Amino acid sequence: MDKRSLDPDGNTVDAASLTQWIGRAKEGDVGAFQRLYDLFARKVLNFIYRMVASAEEAEDLTQETFATVYQKLATLKDDARFEPWLFRIARNYVYQRYRRRTPPMVSVDDQDEEGRTTAELVDERKGPLEAFESEELERVVQRVISDLQEKYREVFILSAIHRLSYQEIAEIVGRSLPSVKTDIHRARLQVRQRVKDYLKV
Amino acid sequence: MDCRLCSDELTAYLDGELSAADATRIRQHVEACPPCQDELQALRGAADFVESHVQAVEPVPEIWNNLRARIAAMPAPADRSGFFQFLVVNRWAAMLATLASTAVLALGLWGYLAHQAAQQALESYMNDYILERSVAERLYAVQIRQWRNLTSVAGVNWVPVSENPFVDQRPVSLANPFVSEER
Protein backbone atom coordinates (compact mmCIF):
# COMPACT_ATOMS: atom_id res chain seq x y z
CA MET A 1 0.00 0.00 0.00
CA ASP A 2 1.32 3.42 -0.90
CA LYS A 3 2.15 6.13 1.58
CA ARG A 4 0.53 8.86 -0.48
CA SER A 5 -3.11 9.77 -0.24
CA LEU A 6 -4.88 8.48 -3.30
CA ASP A 7 -8.43 9.17 -4.34
CA PRO A 8 -10.64 6.27 -5.47
CA ASP A 9 -9.42 6.75 -9.04
CA GLY A 10 -5.84 6.26 -7.87
CA ASN A 11 -4.83 9.89 -8.35
CA THR A 12 -2.62 11.56 -5.75
CA VAL A 13 -4.44 14.10 -3.62
CA ASP A 14 -2.49 17.22 -2.73
CA ALA A 15 -2.41 18.70 0.75
CA ALA A 16 -4.31 21.84 -0.29
CA SER A 17 -7.31 19.84 -1.53
CA LEU A 18 -7.27 17.72 1.59
CA THR A 19 -7.25 20.82 3.79
CA GLN A 20 -10.12 22.27 1.79
CA TRP A 21 -12.24 19.15 2.22
CA ILE A 22 -11.48 19.01 5.93
CA GLY A 23 -12.45 22.67 6.29
CA ARG A 24 -15.76 22.13 4.50
CA ALA A 25 -16.46 18.92 6.39
CA LYS A 26 -15.97 20.83 9.66
CA GLU A 27 -18.81 23.12 8.58
CA GLY A 28 -21.08 20.15 7.99
CA ASP A 29 -20.57 19.59 4.25
CA VAL A 30 -21.42 15.90 3.93
CA GLY A 31 -20.11 15.82 0.36
CA ALA A 32 -16.68 16.96 1.55
CA PHE A 33 -16.80 14.43 4.37
CA GLN A 34 -17.58 11.71 1.83
CA ARG A 35 -14.43 12.70 -0.10
CA LEU A 36 -12.45 12.20 3.12
CA TYR A 37 -14.16 8.87 3.65
CA ASP A 38 -13.33 7.76 0.10
CA LEU A 39 -9.70 8.72 0.63
CA PHE A 40 -9.12 7.02 3.94
CA ALA A 41 -11.76 4.32 4.45
CA ARG A 42 -9.71 1.62 2.72
CA LYS A 43 -6.62 2.34 4.81
CA VAL A 44 -8.56 2.45 8.06
CA LEU A 45 -10.54 -0.69 7.23
CA ASN A 46 -7.39 -2.63 6.43
CA PHE A 47 -5.58 -1.42 9.53
CA ILE A 48 -8.48 -2.52 11.71
CA TYR A 49 -8.88 -5.77 9.81
CA ARG A 50 -5.23 -6.68 10.35
CA MET A 51 -5.59 -5.89 14.04
CA VAL A 52 -8.84 -7.74 14.78
CA ALA A 53 -8.59 -10.44 12.09
CA SER A 54 -12.30 -10.28 11.31
CA ALA A 55 -13.76 -8.54 8.27
CA GLU A 56 -17.17 -8.08 9.89
CA GLU A 57 -15.75 -6.46 13.01
CA ALA A 58 -13.44 -4.34 10.90
CA GLU A 59 -16.40 -2.95 8.92
CA ASP A 60 -18.27 -2.21 12.12
CA LEU A 61 -15.32 -0.44 13.72
CA THR A 62 -14.57 1.50 10.53
CA GLN A 63 -18.09 2.88 10.62
CA GLU A 64 -17.68 3.82 14.30
CA THR A 65 -14.38 5.50 13.53
CA PHE A 66 -15.75 7.71 10.78
CA ALA A 67 -18.86 8.57 12.79
CA THR A 68 -16.59 9.81 15.56
CA VAL A 69 -14.45 11.68 13.03
CA TYR A 70 -17.53 13.51 11.78
CA GLN A 71 -18.60 14.43 15.31
CA LYS A 72 -15.17 15.49 16.54
CA LEU A 73 -13.67 17.02 13.40
CA ALA A 74 -14.08 20.54 14.80
CA THR A 75 -11.62 19.67 17.59
CA LEU A 76 -8.82 18.99 15.08
CA LYS A 77 -6.65 22.11 15.18
CA ASP A 78 -3.96 21.17 12.69
CA ASP A 79 -5.48 19.79 9.48
CA ALA A 80 -2.08 18.43 8.44
CA ARG A 81 -2.35 15.91 11.32
CA PHE A 82 -5.64 14.50 10.05
CA GLU A 83 -4.32 11.07 9.10
CA PRO A 84 -2.52 10.29 12.40
CA TRP A 85 -5.56 11.65 14.27
CA LEU A 86 -7.86 9.40 12.24
CA PHE A 87 -5.72 6.33 12.92
CA ARG A 88 -5.64 7.19 16.63
CA ILE A 89 -9.42 7.08 16.73
CA ALA A 90 -9.44 3.77 14.85
CA ARG A 91 -6.82 2.36 17.22
CA ASN A 92 -8.87 3.40 20.25
CA TYR A 93 -11.87 1.50 18.93
CA VAL A 94 -9.71 -1.57 18.30
CA TYR A 95 -8.44 -1.55 21.87
CA GLN A 96 -11.96 -0.98 23.25
CA ARG A 97 -13.00 -4.07 21.34
CA TYR A 98 -10.02 -6.03 22.71
CA ARG A 99 -11.02 -5.11 26.27
CA ARG A 100 -14.49 -6.53 25.69
CA ARG A 101 -13.16 -9.80 24.31
CA THR A 102 -11.67 -12.68 26.27
CA PRO A 103 -8.31 -13.76 24.88
CA PRO A 104 -7.10 -15.48 22.87
CA MET A 105 -8.48 -13.95 19.69
CA VAL A 106 -9.04 -16.60 17.12
CA SER A 107 -9.72 -15.43 13.64
CA VAL A 108 -12.79 -16.88 12.01
CA ASP A 109 -11.18 -15.95 8.71
CA ASP A 110 -8.25 -18.25 9.34
CA GLN A 111 -9.88 -21.24 7.71
CA ASP A 112 -10.44 -22.13 4.09
CA GLU A 113 -13.78 -23.29 2.66
CA GLU A 114 -13.07 -26.84 3.82
CA GLY A 115 -12.44 -25.64 7.38
CA ARG A 116 -8.73 -26.29 7.34
CA THR A 117 -6.61 -23.85 9.29
CA THR A 118 -3.56 -22.11 7.93
CA ALA A 119 -1.23 -24.26 10.00
CA GLU A 120 -2.79 -27.44 8.56
CA LEU A 121 -2.52 -26.15 5.01
CA VAL A 122 1.10 -25.24 5.48
CA ASP A 123 1.95 -28.62 6.98
CA GLU A 124 0.40 -30.36 4.00
CA ARG A 125 2.47 -28.43 1.52
CA LYS A 126 6.02 -28.21 2.80
CA GLY A 127 7.23 -27.34 -0.62
CA PRO A 128 8.49 -24.37 -2.58
CA LEU A 129 6.69 -21.09 -2.22
CA GLU A 130 5.27 -21.34 -5.74
CA ALA A 131 3.28 -24.40 -4.66
CA PHE A 132 1.18 -22.24 -2.39
CA GLU A 133 -1.85 -20.56 -3.80
CA SER A 134 -2.35 -16.87 -3.43
CA GLU A 135 -5.19 -17.22 -0.90
CA GLU A 136 -3.11 -19.59 1.19
CA LEU A 137 -0.23 -17.14 1.25
CA GLU A 138 -2.60 -14.38 2.24
CA ARG A 139 -3.78 -16.51 5.11
CA VAL A 140 -0.17 -17.14 6.11
CA VAL A 141 0.42 -13.39 6.14
CA GLN A 142 -2.68 -12.81 8.25
CA ARG A 143 -1.67 -15.59 10.60
CA VAL A 144 1.84 -14.19 10.94
CA ILE A 145 0.44 -10.77 11.77
CA SER A 146 -2.19 -12.14 14.17
CA ASP A 147 0.51 -14.06 16.05
CA LEU A 148 2.20 -10.82 17.01
CA GLN A 149 1.52 -9.22 20.37
CA GLU A 150 -0.86 -6.19 19.97
CA LYS A 151 1.76 -3.51 20.50
CA TYR A 152 4.04 -5.11 17.88
CA ARG A 153 1.16 -5.87 15.55
CA GLU A 154 -0.04 -2.28 15.33
CA VAL A 155 3.38 -0.79 14.62
CA PHE A 156 4.14 -3.55 12.12
CA ILE A 157 0.92 -2.91 10.21
CA LEU A 158 1.40 0.86 10.21
CA SER A 159 5.04 0.64 9.09
CA ALA A 160 5.22 -2.37 6.79
CA ILE A 161 1.75 -2.28 5.23
CA HIS A 162 0.63 1.34 5.47
CA ARG A 163 4.18 2.73 5.17
CA LEU A 164 3.65 5.56 7.62
CA SER A 165 6.70 7.33 8.98
CA TYR A 166 8.03 6.41 12.42
CA GLN A 167 7.10 9.90 13.62
CA GLU A 168 3.49 9.47 12.48
CA ILE A 169 3.34 6.02 14.04
CA ALA A 170 4.66 7.40 17.35
CA GLU A 171 1.92 10.04 17.23
CA ILE A 172 -0.76 7.43 16.56
CA VAL A 173 0.24 4.95 19.25
CA GLY A 174 1.20 7.61 21.79
CA ARG A 175 4.72 6.35 22.46
CA SER A 176 8.15 7.91 21.98
CA LEU A 177 10.00 7.68 18.70
CA PRO A 178 12.84 5.51 20.09
CA SER A 179 10.29 3.15 21.69
CA VAL A 180 8.37 2.83 18.42
CA LYS A 181 11.59 2.24 16.47
CA THR A 182 12.56 -0.60 18.83
CA ASP A 183 9.08 -2.15 18.66
CA ILE A 184 9.04 -2.03 14.85
CA HIS A 185 12.40 -3.75 14.71
CA ARG A 186 11.27 -6.46 17.15
CA ALA A 187 8.06 -6.95 15.21
CA ARG A 188 9.99 -7.41 11.98
CA LEU A 189 12.31 -9.93 13.62
CA GLN A 190 9.32 -11.92 14.81
CA VAL A 191 7.67 -11.74 11.41
CA ARG A 192 10.85 -12.94 9.79
CA GLN A 193 10.95 -15.93 12.14
CA ARG A 194 7.25 -16.74 11.71
CA VAL A 195 7.44 -16.59 7.92
CA LYS A 196 10.36 -18.99 8.11
CA ASP A 197 8.41 -21.31 10.46
CA TYR A 198 5.21 -21.32 8.46
CA LEU A 199 6.79 -21.72 5.06
CA LYS A 200 9.75 -23.79 6.12
CA VAL A 201 11.95 -21.57 3.97
CA MET B 1 30.37 -0.10 14.43
CA ASP B 2 29.80 -3.59 15.84
CA CYS B 3 27.24 -6.12 14.61
CA ARG B 4 24.92 -5.75 17.61
CA LEU B 5 24.54 -2.01 17.06
CA CYS B 6 24.16 -2.52 13.33
CA SER B 7 21.53 -5.22 13.79
CA ASP B 8 19.36 -2.89 15.90
CA GLU B 9 19.33 -0.32 13.11
CA LEU B 10 18.66 -2.60 10.14
CA THR B 11 14.87 -2.19 10.11
CA ALA B 12 15.09 1.60 10.34
CA TYR B 13 17.70 1.47 7.58
CA LEU B 14 15.37 -0.56 5.35
CA ASP B 15 12.50 1.86 6.06
CA GLY B 16 14.61 4.93 5.23
CA GLU B 17 14.25 6.31 8.73
CA LEU B 18 17.95 6.88 9.46
CA SER B 19 19.84 10.10 8.91
CA ALA B 20 22.12 10.18 5.88
CA ALA B 21 25.22 9.80 8.08
CA ASP B 22 23.80 6.83 10.01
CA ALA B 23 22.58 5.17 6.83
CA THR B 24 26.06 5.46 5.34
CA ARG B 25 27.63 3.90 8.43
CA ILE B 26 25.18 0.98 8.29
CA ARG B 27 25.71 0.45 4.58
CA GLN B 28 29.49 0.47 4.99
CA HIS B 29 29.34 -2.06 7.83
CA VAL B 30 26.93 -4.38 6.00
CA GLU B 31 29.10 -4.35 2.86
CA ALA B 32 32.00 -5.62 4.95
CA CYS B 33 30.10 -8.02 7.22
CA PRO B 34 28.53 -11.21 5.76
CA PRO B 35 26.40 -12.08 8.86
CA CYS B 36 24.85 -8.59 8.83
CA GLN B 37 24.33 -8.92 5.08
CA ASP B 38 22.38 -12.15 5.69
CA GLU B 39 20.38 -10.50 8.45
CA LEU B 40 19.50 -7.56 6.22
CA GLN B 41 18.55 -9.89 3.39
CA ALA B 42 16.31 -11.95 5.69
CA LEU B 43 14.52 -8.85 6.99
CA ARG B 44 14.10 -7.52 3.47
CA GLY B 45 12.77 -10.89 2.31
CA ALA B 46 10.18 -11.08 5.09
CA ALA B 47 9.04 -7.50 4.44
CA ASP B 48 8.75 -8.18 0.70
CA PHE B 49 6.84 -11.39 1.35
CA VAL B 50 4.26 -9.59 3.50
CA GLU B 51 3.94 -6.68 1.11
CA SER B 52 3.54 -8.98 -1.90
CA HIS B 53 0.96 -11.28 -0.43
CA VAL B 54 -1.12 -9.05 1.79
CA GLN B 55 -4.44 -8.56 0.09
CA ALA B 56 -6.32 -5.37 0.78
CA VAL B 57 -9.90 -5.58 1.95
CA GLU B 58 -12.22 -3.25 0.06
CA PRO B 59 -14.86 -1.25 1.93
CA VAL B 60 -18.35 -2.50 1.17
CA PRO B 61 -20.99 0.11 0.22
CA GLU B 62 -22.96 -0.68 3.40
CA ILE B 63 -20.32 1.00 5.54
CA TRP B 64 -20.90 4.37 3.89
CA ASN B 65 -24.68 3.86 3.63
CA ASN B 66 -25.00 3.19 7.35
CA LEU B 67 -22.62 6.01 8.16
CA ARG B 68 -24.56 8.41 5.97
CA ALA B 69 -27.77 7.55 7.84
CA ARG B 70 -26.07 8.17 11.20
CA ILE B 71 -24.66 11.49 10.06
CA ALA B 72 -28.08 12.61 8.86
CA ALA B 73 -29.39 12.11 12.39
CA MET B 74 -26.57 14.15 13.96
CA PRO B 75 -26.66 17.95 14.26
CA ALA B 76 -24.38 19.55 11.69
CA PRO B 77 -21.10 20.61 13.28
CA ALA B 78 -21.83 24.32 12.48
CA ASP B 79 -25.20 24.13 14.33
CA ARG B 80 -23.57 23.35 17.63
CA SER B 81 -22.99 26.66 19.39
CA GLY B 82 -23.06 28.17 22.79
CA PHE B 83 -20.81 28.57 25.74
CA PHE B 84 -20.22 24.89 26.28
CA GLN B 85 -19.48 24.27 22.61
CA PHE B 86 -16.98 27.12 22.84
CA LEU B 87 -15.35 25.23 25.67
CA VAL B 88 -15.41 21.97 23.70
CA VAL B 89 -13.87 23.53 20.60
CA ASN B 90 -11.46 25.83 22.38
CA ARG B 91 -9.31 23.53 24.43
CA TRP B 92 -7.39 26.36 26.07
CA ALA B 93 -10.58 28.06 27.21
CA ALA B 94 -11.75 24.80 28.76
CA MET B 95 -8.41 24.35 30.53
CA LEU B 96 -8.46 27.92 31.86
CA ALA B 97 -12.03 27.53 33.06
CA THR B 98 -11.09 24.31 34.85
CA LEU B 99 -8.02 25.92 36.44
CA ALA B 100 -10.02 28.96 37.55
CA SER B 101 -12.78 26.92 39.16
CA THR B 102 -10.22 24.64 40.83
CA ALA B 103 -8.40 27.71 42.18
CA VAL B 104 -11.64 29.17 43.58
CA LEU B 105 -12.53 25.88 45.25
CA ALA B 106 -9.03 25.51 46.67
CA LEU B 107 -9.12 29.09 48.02
CA GLY B 108 -12.49 28.52 49.64
CA LEU B 109 -11.32 25.29 51.22
CA TRP B 110 -8.12 26.92 52.49
CA GLY B 111 -10.12 29.80 54.00
CA TYR B 112 -12.48 27.42 55.75
CA LEU B 113 -9.64 25.31 57.14
CA ALA B 114 -7.73 28.40 58.28
CA HIS B 115 -10.83 29.73 60.06
CA GLN B 116 -11.37 26.37 61.74
CA ALA B 117 -7.73 26.30 62.88
CA ALA B 118 -7.99 29.83 64.28
CA GLN B 119 -11.18 28.94 66.15
CA GLN B 120 -9.54 25.89 67.65
CA ALA B 121 -6.47 27.88 68.67
CA LEU B 122 -8.62 30.51 70.36
CA GLU B 123 -10.65 27.87 72.15
CA SER B 124 -7.49 26.17 73.35
CA TYR B 125 -6.04 29.49 74.57
CA MET B 126 -9.23 30.29 76.46
CA ASN B 127 -9.29 26.87 78.07
CA ASP B 128 -5.67 27.28 79.15
CA TYR B 129 -6.41 30.77 80.56
CA ILE B 130 -9.42 29.58 82.49
CA LEU B 131 -7.43 26.66 83.87
CA GLU B 132 -4.58 28.94 84.91
CA ARG B 133 -6.88 31.44 86.57
CA SER B 134 -8.77 28.72 88.45
CA VAL B 135 -5.44 27.45 89.81
CA ALA B 136 -4.49 31.01 90.82
CA GLU B 137 -7.89 31.43 92.51
CA ARG B 138 -7.40 28.30 94.54
CA LEU B 139 -3.94 29.41 95.65
CA TYR B 140 -5.23 32.79 96.82
CA ALA B 141 -8.10 31.12 98.65
CA VAL B 142 -5.58 29.01 100.56
CA GLN B 143 -3.57 32.09 101.45
CA ILE B 144 -6.63 33.96 102.65
CA ARG B 145 -7.53 31.10 104.96
CA GLN B 146 -4.04 31.08 106.32
CA TRP B 147 -4.03 34.80 107.00
CA ARG B 148 -7.42 34.63 108.64
CA ASN B 149 -6.11 32.05 111.02
CA LEU B 150 -3.22 34.36 112.11
CA THR B 151 -4.19 35.71 115.61
CA SER B 152 -0.83 36.63 117.15
CA VAL B 153 0.62 39.00 114.55
CA ALA B 154 1.63 42.05 116.69
CA GLY B 155 0.28 45.46 115.76
CA VAL B 156 -1.63 44.14 112.97
CA ASN B 157 -5.32 44.05 112.75
CA TRP B 158 -6.53 41.96 110.06
CA VAL B 159 -9.07 43.88 108.06
CA PRO B 160 -10.79 41.90 105.41
CA VAL B 161 -11.27 44.23 102.49
CA SER B 162 -13.54 41.93 100.56
CA GLU B 163 -14.24 38.33 99.78
CA ASN B 164 -12.93 38.84 96.27
CA PRO B 165 -10.12 36.33 95.87
CA PHE B 166 -8.47 38.48 93.29
CA VAL B 167 -8.02 41.39 95.71
CA ASP B 168 -4.93 41.33 97.83
CA GLN B 169 -6.03 40.08 101.26
CA ARG B 170 -2.77 40.49 103.12
CA PRO B 171 -3.07 42.15 106.57
CA VAL B 172 -3.07 45.95 106.52
CA SER B 173 -1.61 48.00 109.41
CA LEU B 174 -3.93 50.71 110.85
CA ALA B 175 -1.04 52.72 112.28
CA ASN B 176 -0.39 56.16 110.84
CA PRO B 177 2.31 55.54 108.33
CA PHE B 178 3.45 59.18 108.47
CA VAL B 179 4.15 59.16 112.20
CA SER B 180 7.11 57.37 113.44
CA GLU B 181 6.21 54.98 116.23
CA GLU B 182 9.60 55.13 117.72
CA ARG B 183 9.52 57.82 120.41
Side-chain angles (χ1 to χ4, degrees):
Chain A
M1 286 191 193
D2 207 314
K3 225 175 176 173
R4 298 164 296 166
S5 290
L6 300 175
D7 66 13
D9 300 322
N11 302 314
T12 310
V13 174
D14 60 273
S17 300
L18 187 60
T19 304
Q20 196 183 32
W21 293 334
I22 292 171
R24 280 162 46 195
K26 280 181 179 178
E27 291 165 7
D29 184 340
V30 179
F33 182 74
Q34 187 173 7
R35 296 302 295 270
L36 294 176
Y37 172 84
D38 290 338
L39 261 185
F40 292 102
R42 193 169 179 266
K43 274 192 194 181
V44 169
L45 177 66
N46 279 276
F47 166 67
I48 297 174
Y49 173 63
R50 297 293 160 197
M51 290 295 292
V52 302
S54 162
E56 194 182 327
E57 275 204 275
E59 287 168 7
D60 186 36
L61 293 179
T62 300
Q63 195 189 118
E64 293 295 330
T65 299
F66 279 93
T68 300
V69 165
Y70 181 78
Q71 280 182 311
K72 304 282 185 203
L73 195 54
T75 64
L76 177 66
K77 290 299 159 202
D78 183 0
D79 292 351
R81 312 314 307 156
F82 177 77
E83 191 170 355
W85 179 74
L86 170 65
F87 271 96
R88 249 201 327 273
I89 294 172
R91 178 182 179 267
N92 287 342
Y93 274 112
V94 167
Y95 278 93
Q96 273 182 30
R97 193 59 64 99
Y98 280 156
R99 281 196 285 272
R100 284 203 287 270
R101 272 205 215 171
T102 53
M105 268 201 319
V106 176
S107 167
V108 297
D109 300 329
D110 192 30
Q111 294 177 347
D112 67 354
E113 47 286 348
E114 293 172 33
R116 292 175 297 175
T117 64
T118 306
E120 287 166 344
L121 279 170
V122 167
D123 279 342
E124 281 178 14
R125 293 292 181 147
K126 287 186 187 170
L129 209 58
E130 296 75 26
F132 288 83
E133 291 177 9
S134 169
E135 290 76 21
E136 292 167 338
L137 290 172
E138 210 285 327
R139 277 202 294 279
V140 167
V141 166
Q142 184 53 43
R143 183 59 184 254
V144 162
I145 296 173
S146 297
D147 282 349
L148 294 171
Q149 207 181 324
E150 283 86 10
K151 75 168 184 170
Y152 294 139
R153 192 183 316 155
E154 61 181 354
V155 298
F156 175 79
I157 294 168
L158 292 170
S159 64
I161 299 179
H162 292 283
R163 312 298 269 158
L164 295 181
S165 71
Y166 286 15
Q167 186 59 50
E168 285 174 323
I169 295 171
E171 200 177 322
I172 291 167
V173 304
R175 299 202 290 278
S176 70
L177 185 56
S179 167
V180 159
K181 185 177 161 193
T182 303
D183 287 347
I184 290 173
H185 181 58
R186 287 182 183 157
R188 298 282 187 83
L189 290 175
Q190 288 185 24
V191 164
R192 185 203 61 187
Q193 189 56 47
R194 295 268 188 221
V195 168
K196 223 167 116 176
D197 291 343
Y198 278 119
L199 299 178
K200 314 280 192 290
V201 297
Chain B
M1 170 173 285
D2 65 24
C3 290
R4 193 178 61 82
L5 284 173
C6 174
S7 174
D8 288 345
E9 300 294 317
L10 286 179
T11 300
Y13 172 72
L14 277 175
D15 288 348
E17 289 283 341
L18 295 181
S19 66
D22 287 342
T24 302
R25 271 196 291 275
I26 297 292
R27 191 182 64 249
Q28 285 170 348
H29 176 86
V30 168
E31 283 169 359
C33 175
C36 284
Q37 275 178 29
D38 292 342
E39 177 77 10
L40 183 66
Q41 195 53 41
L43 282 172
R44 188 179 277 134
D48 288 346
F49 172 78
V50 169
E51 201 168 352
S52 306
H53 298 289
V54 72
Q55 291 176 13
V57 179
E58 295 300 326
V60 295
E62 283 74 24
I63 300 176
W64 172 251
N65 293 339
N66 294 338
L67 185 60
R68 183 75 180 84
R70 280 176 73 168
I71 287 170
M74 293 179 197
D79 286 348
R80 296 185 220 127
S81 60
F83 176 72
F84 290 105
Q85 180 59 22
F86 168 73
L87 285 182
V88 166
V89 171
N90 192 331
R91 191 174 44 169
W92 292 110
M95 277 170 60
L96 275 172
T98 307
L99 278 169
S101 53
T102 307
V104 166
L105 279 171
L107 203 61
L109 188 65
W110 176 81
Y112 172 74
L113 290 172
H115 175 70
Q116 288 292 95
Q119 286 287 94
Q120 280 172 3
L122 182 61
E123 210 174 300
S124 173
Y125 175 76
M126 289 303 297
N127 288 340
D128 290 344
Y129 178 78
I130 291 167
L131 183 66
E132 184 189 317
R133 292 316 307 167
S134 68
V135 166
E137 277 180 46
R138 279 199 286 275
L139 280 175
Y140 273 121
V142 166
Q143 283 179 338
I144 289 168
R145 277 201 297 277
Q146 284 173 347
W147 289 325
R148 280 182 180 173
N149 290 335
L150 286 174
T151 56
S152 59
V153 177
V156 174
N157 292 315
W158 186 85
V159 179
V161 178
S162 77
E163 296 298 320
N164 187 340
F166 291 95
V167 174
D168 195 349
Q169 300 286 347
R170 283 175 292 178
V172 177
S173 171
L174 292 181
N176 188 341
F178 297 105
V179 174
S180 171
E181 292 187 357
E182 290 179 9
R183 292 200 188 268

